[in-house]
Amino acid sequence: AIAACEQALEIVTSRRIAVESEPRFLAAYADALLGDGRLREARSAAESAISRSLERLTPIAKLDAEIILARILLAEGNTAEHGRVASLLDSATEGINVTSARVFEPFVSMARAELARSTGDEPARREHMTAALDRARAMNAAGHVARLESDLSAMNSGQRA
């Protein structure tokens, strides 16, 4: 995924083809880097995705990048960033409401659950995980439903999810 994103970004920047898609490619790149544990690079790519989405007036790419950046900040484990994480997720929620891009709702809820976990607020974590599960079910997102059900089951049995 990283190589594919790098190739797409190279085409956008060198040939100026599909420039309107650059914020989405940057967000996908940030997400892939996060998955690979390359947090510093992921953060830079996510921040660039937000900047480019503002320049290119692509609100869906912006809200996607905000969710990804929130996840990156949570993965970094710096509690000083919790306020920024909450602000990013609030902005993404606002973007969802404006654009009706409901497909992103479970991801906001999952990030809010992780924020609650990082602050030790288990009731809020459970609430956000349940909300993510409900939204994933409503969209028939079978893979997310299975993972969230497993995570909630582990939480209810006292295991780390």
Side-chain angles (χ1 to χ4, degrees):
I2 292 171
C5 290
E6 288 172 341
Q7 184 178 15
L9 289 166
E10 172 61 28
I11 290 168
V12 167
T13 56
S14 67
R15 299 182 193 164
R16 304 305 298 159
I17 296 172
V19 293
E20 71 282 354
S21 297
E22 182 185 23
R24 266 305 294 131
F25 294 146
L26 282 165
Y29 185 51
D31 199 21
L33 290 167
L34 170 61
D36 197 41
R38 295 162 57 182
L39 300 180
R40 188 170 2 118
E41 293 169 85
R43 184 175 180 162
S44 176
E47 288 172 341
S48 292
I50 292 169
S51 295
R52 293 290 193 285
S53 67
L54 290 168
E55 291 168 10
R56 307 253 194 283
L57 303 175
T58 53
I60 293 174
K62 178 179 176 279
L63 72 91
D64 187 25
E66 288 170 334
I67 296 165
I68 293 166
L69 180 56
R71 291 175 42 230
I72 293 164
L73 295 174
L74 288 165
E76 288 177 344
N78 182 352
T79 58
E81 295 282 13
H82 285 174
R84 185 170 182 209
V85 169
S87 293
L88 286 163
L89 296 173
D90 289 345
S91 180
T93 298
E94 182 180 328
I96 289 167
N97 292 334
V98 168
T99 63
S100 298
R102 302 278 174 234
V103 68
F104 291 96
E105 288 178 331
F107 300 103
V108 170
S109 293
M110 287 186 284
R112 289 190 191 282
E114 180 58 23
L115 177 59
R117 186 206 57 77
S118 70
T119 63
D121 188 346
E122 287 302 311
R125 178 181 182 211
R126 183 171 278 104
E127 176 185 330
H128 291 300
M129 292 285 288
T130 301
L133 177 58
D134 291 344
R135 289 176 177 113
R137 281 184 179 142
M139 291 186 291
N140 295 316
H144 291 296
V145 168
R147 187 177 67 76
L148 288 163
E149 285 176 340
S150 175
D151 289 351
L152 279 166
S153 177
M155 283 175 62
N156 291 333
S157 67
Q159 299 171 7
R160 172 144 169 88

